[in-house]
Amino acid sequence: MFFARVFDSNKIVLFAILILVACVFVTGCSANAFRNLKVQVGASPIRVDGRNFQVFTVAALNTGEESIRLQFSSGMQFDFVVMSDDAEVWRWSYDKAFITMLTERDIDPDELVVYSVVWDGRDSEGRHVPPGEYRVFGEIVTKPKVTTDAVTFHWSGN
Amino acid sequence: MQTLVLLMTLSIFLTGCFSSSFGPPGVPPVTPDPPGTPNPPPGQVPSSGKILGHVVMETLYKSRPLSASSVPGVVVKGATLAKPLADEGGPDYVDSEILARFQENTPQEEIHRIVESQGCHVKQVIDRTDIYVIGIPEREDPVYVAEDFEKNPQVKYAQPNWVGRVTEISDATLTLIPSDPDLSKQWAIEAMGVPYAWDKTTGSSGVKVAVIDTGVQVNHPDLAANIGPGYDFFNNTTYVTDYNGHGTHVAGIIGAIANNGRGIAGINWNVQIMPLKAADNSGQGYLDLPAIIQALYWAADNGADVVNMSFKISDSAIGANNAMDDAIDYAYSKGVTMVAAAGNDGNGRVVYPASHPKVIAVNAVSSDLSRPSWSNYGDGVDVTAPGDLVWSTWPGSTYAYASGTSMAAPQAAGVAALLIAQGIRGQENIRRILQETAMDLGAPGKDWTFGWGMVNAHAAVSGALITNMKVFAGDEDEISITPYSDMVNPKAGGFFEITGVPKGSWYIYGWIDVNNNGAVDFGDYFGRTSGKVVFNGGTLTDIKLLARPIVGSDTVYSLKLGED
């Protein structure tokens, strides 16, 4: 009887609750789309001809048993961001354009996909940054975007 | 189902000079006015109010074409001011014959009996019609002879053979159907009415379209002949090898060789693609901004008429693109028409450089004429164009489907190139033509989803701007349409306000006399409300009107017309 009365008198509230549940469900599904995709960023120094560089890598491993399809809205599949404290110092995509064609990439079970770029120690305006501790994180620009945790690295300067 | 049968006759009558109002209010004529009968002077016909509405110009995509069996090929009386009637001083009709049409199923013998009973004889039956040209005795007045004929119930109508200025449509030719076998996969071509545009122009090798992109497979057999000089601004070489495929796809949309029995047809059968590579050789989908800027300057300095930019510049760089802004300004100052993709983020913000005011921004539409969820939208969109599952050239001398506003922008760029091939100049002029000929989708007028609507190549190259449409209230008999209101032009976006509308029941007409011959015929855009609108004065609103192109290859006089 109680539920019947609630049903009769609170249809609107019930409907709203159903919508909310549906939204949570959908969001959850979306978030779960890449639950088997483990991503990690790495930063490795390399010295060539007396100059320092930093190689950044995003590695994405499919730990599940089914293929994962990454869909991209443009030619931009990944990005890297270097931070100094909380300030953004450099972003790989800063001086780039991307084709506006939809693209896809499938990652098979146990497949490791790697995106790498090289940083020469300049900020987005082209100025050399001082030596010190910096952090870098990577993004796989699919929907929803997959962002790695940041790792700290030491920049020796040039 | 309402059936309306309209006839187009060999002759075209125009009984008066152009006036903004015609005929007595509320009493549509059932027969043409006698020759020489002046129209009421403007201002003497009492007008009672106005009718407001919206007209959409459609392509024939997903709609029943107004083919030769259904064209309302009638004359709009007094609609044309520019062209004179028959020679001054001469008769307004052929003095030795009349035209007549008989009730259906009237036997030939009966027709001849009726004709001969009037002392006349059958001279001919107009080809593909059941209109009889009837010779009458000398010194008989065709007007009175026709009246006598119409007294016979077997005669559907009869009329003098009015002397007209137009007996055939010089520019209504067969639609060019290229031999490219993949044409059926190119839904974009049909959606934008491109085959009908090809009746006007198939482009020109003198028109240069720069494709700033990932490169182009310049020796692709469906592209090679339309590829001009280019450059790789990233690797500093004249080799523009496309390791991604995107640039080759874009180039094919604009100018794949047509009618060569291979692959696809580009929007331009003849054009000079200027491949300007701004990518490295990794095959990734990103371009180098400095290379793009160099390419844009190079295009402007080397005679590019159109530049296609199917890319977005990273969000993080927006606001810091002074160098790119400068390049756009430079190219604009050189008369270059720039077209760019609105972006695929599925949000309401047009990406840069499409968002630049000197660039024509194009978002994407699907084959069902809806906006794909991934296509950006917003106030910055100028027009939309097919961008979903577009079939075009691909490296390896192959073909591929691709989706994105990247595929939409070159559709608009291709049509811009067709316009330039016709001698049209000026970026803003081209932008305005694209906007005012677009097939309005979504909310009436410009909207956030589709901008001004989908690019309509046929209307664009025909100069069929919606602002040139004549919209009016009127009525029709089997031969003619008589306007009873002012003829007004819609505003951009298709909104119209017909003034001088008398009380009565009227059809609302929209008509672009593309060939300017005073007749609703092939090549024109024409639409009419499906039924009559009862107007009791004051202001009537929300009238919806669709205008579609009349296409085909026949001459006007041979048409038999009907509409279900």
Side-chain angles (χ1 to χ4, degrees):
Chain A
M1 286 292 287
F2 171 76
F3 288 109
R5 283 202 301 275
V6 169
F7 214 91
D8 287 342
S9 60
N10 294 301
K11 283 180 179 172
I12 294 176
V13 174
L14 186 63
F15 182 72
I17 291 171
L18 287 172
I19 292 293
L20 186 62
V21 170
C23 289
V24 170
F25 178 75
V26 169
T27 306
C29 285
S30 180
N32 284 337
F34 303 128
R35 68 181 183 279
N36 292 324
L37 190 67
K38 306 304 178 188
V39 295
Q40 180 69 47
V41 68
S44 303
I46 185 168
R47 189 171 178 82
V48 181
D49 196 27
R51 295 172 59 195
N52 289 319
F53 297 91
Q54 201 76 27
V55 178
F56 300 137
T57 301
V58 165
L61 176 66
N62 181 358
T63 60
E65 296 180 351
E66 294 181 356
S67 182
I68 295 173
R69 172 160 293 180
L70 303 180
Q71 295 179 310
F72 305 97
S73 63
S74 72
M76 183 179 181
Q77 298 191 1
F78 60 88
D79 206 355
F80 291 91
V81 181
V82 173
M83 306 286 291
S84 175
D85 296 326
D86 290 332
E88 181 175 314
V89 173
W90 176 80
R91 182 179 286 268
W92 172 79
S93 64
Y94 180 80
D95 61 348
K96 292 184 175 53
F98 300 92
I99 58 173
T100 38
M101 181 175 73
L102 304 183
T103 56
E104 294 178 344
R105 180 163 188 172
D106 290 334
I107 305 179
D108 293 331
D110 292 328
E111 183 181 359
L112 182 71
V113 168
V114 173
Y115 296 104
S116 289
V117 301
V118 175
W119 184 52
D120 64 357
R122 297 171 193 261
D123 66 13
S124 292
E125 301 303 321
R127 298 167 299 208
H128 286 288
V129 301
E133 300 296 311
Y134 292 87
R135 290 181 300 123
V136 64
F137 66 88
E139 296 173 338
I140 298 177
V141 194
T142 185
K143 276 195 172 182
K145 184 190 293 183
V146 177
T147 303
T148 69
D149 293 332
V151 297
T152 301
F153 67 96
H154 181 77
W155 173 248
S156 301
N158 272 321
Chain B
M1 180 180 294
Q2 182 185 15
T3 299
L4 175 66
V5 178
L6 300 171
L7 285 178
M8 186 62 224
T9 68
L10 170 64
S11 59
I12 291 177
F13 58 91
L14 286 170
T15 57
C17 295
F18 180 85
S19 172
S20 59
S21 299
F22 301 87
V27 188
V30 292
T31 56
D33 296 332
T37 302
N39 288 310
Q44 290 191 11
V45 176
S47 58
S48 299
K50 55 189 177 182
I51 294 178
L52 282 62
H54 180 251
V55 58
V56 172
M57 284 170 56
E58 290 188 325
T59 67
L60 295 176
Y61 182 63
K62 292 189 181 299
S63 64
R64 187 171 60 86
L66 291 171
S67 61
S69 62
S70 60
V71 174
V74 293
V75 176
V76 179
K77 297 168 70 176
T80 302
L81 177 64
K83 292 187 176 182
L85 291 171
D87 294 341
E88 288 184 10
D92 289 325
Y93 47 80
V94 178
D95 60 4
S96 60
E97 61 192 32
I98 65 169
L99 304 176
R101 189 161 178 245
F102 297 85
Q103 301 294 348
E104 291 181 14
N105 303 321
T106 304
Q108 286 283 327
E109 300 77 17
E110 177 66 6
I111 290 172
H112 282 268
R113 193 195 63 76
I114 293 170
V115 170
E116 288 164 7
S117 70
Q118 298 287 338
C120 303
H121 63 280
V122 174
K123 294 176 73 172
Q124 71 172 102
V125 180
I126 296 175
D127 188 28
R128 280 172 287 178
T129 77
D130 55 359
I131 300 170
Y132 284 73
V133 181
I134 297 170
I136 65 174
E138 288 186 22
R139 292 184 295 278
E140 291 278 353
D141 188 327
V143 173
Y144 296 121
V145 174
E147 287 179 0
D148 288 341
F149 264 79
E150 289 199 327
K151 291 173 183 173
N152 190 316
Q154 291 296 108
V155 177
K156 208 166 186 177
Y157 70 83
Q159 64 168 79
N161 190 359
W162 304 106
V163 174
R165 294 155 289 114
V166 182
T167 55
E168 65 180 11
I169 307 289
S170 60
D171 59 353
T173 58
L174 275 173
T175 297
L176 296 175
I177 304 296
S179 60
D180 307 83
D182 290 354
L183 190 65
S184 60
K185 296 180 180 178
Q186 295 181 266
W187 70 269
I189 293 289
E190 183 188 357
M192 297 189 296
V194 176
Y196 304 109
W198 287 335
D199 275 349
K200 302 280 185 180
T201 177
T202 54
S204 166
S205 58
V207 176
K208 296 180 180 178
V209 181
V211 175
I212 301 177
D213 217 297
T214 56
V216 174
Q217 187 199 338
V218 296
N219 63 350
H220 193 298
D222 222 1
L223 287 171
N226 285 345
I227 301 292
Y231 198 76
D232 178 347
F233 292 91
F234 187 89
N235 299 297
N236 290 318
T237 172
T238 54
Y239 294 99
V240 293
T241 308
D242 183 7
Y243 292 98
N244 178 278
H246 182 267
T248 303
H249 201 272
V250 166
I253 293 168
I254 295 166
I257 302 165
N259 207 28
N260 60 346
R262 171 191 288 273
I264 64 166
I267 293 171
N268 293 264
W269 297 19
N270 306 291
V271 70
Q272 192 176 149
I273 300 286
M274 184 186 284
L276 304 180
K277 182 173 173 177
D280 62 20
N281 292 339
S282 69
Q284 301 292 322
Y286 52 85
L287 309 176
D288 182 66
L289 183 55
I292 290 171
I293 291 168
Q294 289 180 65
L296 192 47
Y297 278 107
W298 196 89
D301 287 339
N302 286 276
D305 298 291
V306 180
V307 171
N308 185 81
M309 297 185 285
S310 285
F311 54 77
K312 68 170 185 177
I313 291 176
S314 172
D315 291 352
S316 58
I318 290 176
N321 274 302
N322 292 336
M324 184 65 185
D325 282 350
D326 289 346
I328 290 172
D329 287 342
Y330 181 77
Y332 191 85
S333 73
K334 292 280 191 175
V336 178
T337 298
M338 289 167 279
V339 183
N344 306 331
D345 307 304
N347 62 36
R349 189 174 60 80
V350 173
V351 299
Y352 186 92
S355 60
H356 193 288
K358 291 176 179 172
V359 176
I360 297 173
V362 187
N363 77 344
V365 67
S366 296
S367 59
D368 63 356
L369 302 186
S370 67
R371 180 185 66 83
S373 60
W374 43 260
S375 175
N376 286 8
Y377 52 93
D379 189 49
V381 172
D382 285 295
V383 289
T384 192
D388 190 34
L389 294 174
V390 174
W391 183 251
S392 185
T393 45
W394 199 257
S397 302
T398 59
Y399 302 85
Y401 284 107
S403 297
T405 50
S406 274
M407 284 63 243
Q411 314 277 9
V415 175
L418 288 179
L419 291 172
I420 292 168
Q422 286 191 303
I424 293 168
R425 294 291 181 270
Q427 304 100 316
E428 295 311 317
N429 199 25
I430 289 169
R431 186 201 301 262
R432 187 174 69 91
I433 291 171
L434 291 176
Q435 292 175 344
E436 295 188 12
T437 57
M439 176 175 170
D440 192 3
L441 300 173
K446 188 188 181 191
D447 60 68
W448 272 49
T449 307
F450 301 105
W452 292 93
M454 183 176 65
V455 171
N456 181 343
H458 172 238
V461 302
S462 301
L465 278 64
I466 200 162
T467 48
N468 292 337
M469 182 175 286
K470 297 180 177 78
V471 181
F472 55 94
D475 203 356
E476 62 197 33
D477 54 28
E478 294 180 336
I479 304 168
S480 65
I481 295 170
T482 302
Y484 281 87
S485 71
D486 297 337
M487 283 188 174
V488 301
N489 301 122
K491 295 177 181 175
F495 298 100
F496 61 78
E497 179 178 324
I498 307 171
T499 52
V501 184
K503 293 179 181 178
S505 296
W506 312 111
Y507 291 113
I508 307 300
Y509 298 90
W511 173 46
I512 302 177
D513 189 9
V514 170
N515 47 22
N516 196 33
N517 66 359
V520 180
D521 51 21
F522 292 133
D524 290 355
Y525 272 77
F526 180 80
R528 193 204 65 183
T529 49
S530 57
K532 286 188 176 181
V533 173
V534 177
F535 183 65
N536 295 317
T539 301
L540 185 63
T541 61
D542 294 329
I543 297 300
K544 305 295 183 190
L545 198 57
L546 289 175
R548 290 187 292 173
I550 300 169
V551 297
S553 60
D554 290 289
T555 52
V556 172
Y557 58 82
S558 62
L559 287 178
K560 175 183 178 182
L561 306 153
E563 180 182 308
D564 291 329

